[in-house]
Amino acid sequence: MAAANETASSRAPFFIDTHCHLDAAEFNADRDAEYARAVAGGVTTLVIPSVSREGFAAVAATCARYPGCLPAWGLHPMYIGVHHPAHLADLRAQVETQRPVAIGEIGLDRFVDLDYPTQEYFCIAQLKIAREFDLPVLLHCRRANDDLLKHLRRIGVRGGIAHAFNGSPQQADVFIKLGFKLGFGGAFTWPRANNLRRLAVDLPLEAIVLETDSPDMPPVWVGRGRNAPGELPRIAQTLAELRGIDLATVAQATTRNAHELFGLA
């Protein structure tokens, strides 16, 4: 009876890692252990985005092996060297075969020197697939927020996540009005990440979801090492400390935000 009367704040918090590449080769030696560590820390759900047509199988195998992992299918802008127009038909077929929680990781990147018109071609085509299947999108948006917002206004999708968001408050506001959540992970834990830390404090908690981008985007305590989904609770704790609220509040809000976005029970 006592357990039934527990308040939500007294229970161990649980989290959703909304962006985690657990399928990556960096985890080949210890994937089971890292998944177990994440679950032990309360990370109950992990969204695994693909980055290329060749990666669909690894994402599918990861999601089949680990019950908390859910797929997202997409063609990443930084891999345009391996994408072909025919892969868009393969993407559509993959969505029909194994419906994902989102289309992703897709988007635009002006930080790297990659053919930008080709990036836009694949991004626009995938936004249209997301609209066709009424799915949210996981957006890679490095130094390309305004361009992506232009395409989103024109095409119109069912919201999504601006992954690793590092734009302005004004851009954040437009994303939110378009039905998007803003993804925060290890990058804001670094003391010199002043813009990110201000955003983490000032943005409405209802607009924030948590992510690790494992094995990338390591938090400050990992340094230059490999990131992993088991770091998410400590990332959440950092967000709670910056905002001056308790961890349970962060866990409940960000998990609820992800549930609503992905349509999870």
Side-chain angles (χ1 to χ4, degrees), residues 232-256:
L232 196 70
R234 193 168 171 186
I235 290 171
Q237 180 64 52
T238 304
L239 180 61
E241 291 169 359
L242 285 174
R243 295 183 71 104
I245 57 180
D246 60 81
L247 177 61
T249 299
V250 167
Q252 291 162 10
T254 57
T255 298
R256 180 174 60 249

Side-chain angles (χ1 to χ4, degrees), residues 115-230:
D115 187 304
Y116 197 71
T118 302
Q119 289 189 53
E120 285 198 302
Y121 167 78
F122 281 102
C123 179
I124 290 168
Q126 292 178 95
L127 288 174
K128 290 178 178 178
I129 291 173
R131 182 179 63 186
E132 175 186 344
F133 287 94
D134 192 28
L135 288 165
V137 293
L138 304 180
L139 289 181
H140 176 99
C141 46
R142 194 159 55 162
R143 295 188 181 177
N145 289 308
D146 288 338
D147 288 354
L148 276 168
L149 288 168
K150 175 187 69 176
H151 294 310
L152 290 169
R153 289 190 191 97
R154 182 172 62 86
I155 296 170
V157 297
R158 201 192 80 193
I161 296 173
H163 158 58
F165 183 75
N166 192 15
S168 68
Q170 294 75 22
Q171 290 168 332
D173 185 57
V174 179
F175 273 114
I176 293 167
K177 288 178 179 176
L178 290 173
F180 278 75
K181 307 297 184 185
L182 308 174
F184 282 81
F188 83 89
T189 67
W190 293 80
R192 293 186 180 180
N194 295 319
N195 179 58
L196 276 177
R197 290 166 82 88
R198 280 194 298 269
L199 288 167
V201 171
D202 294 342
L203 288 173
L205 193 55
E206 294 75 19
I208 292 176
V209 291
L210 297 176
E211 59 185 17
T212 62
D213 198 25
S214 305
D216 300 319
M217 209 163 72
V220 63
W221 55 87
V222 173
R224 296 181 180 273
R226 183 194 68 178
N227 197 10

Side-chain angles (χ1 to χ4, degrees), residues 53 56 73 75 83-97 121-122 125-126 129 132-133:
R53 169 65 184 84
F56 289 174
W73 307 120
L75 308 174
H83 302 333
H84 298 285
H87 292 174
L88 293 166
D90 295 335
L91 172 61
R92 182 176 284 101
Q94 186 70 24
V95 172
E96 292 173 338
T97 301
Y121 167 78
F122 281 102
Q126 292 178 95
I129 291 173
E132 175 186 344
F133 287 94

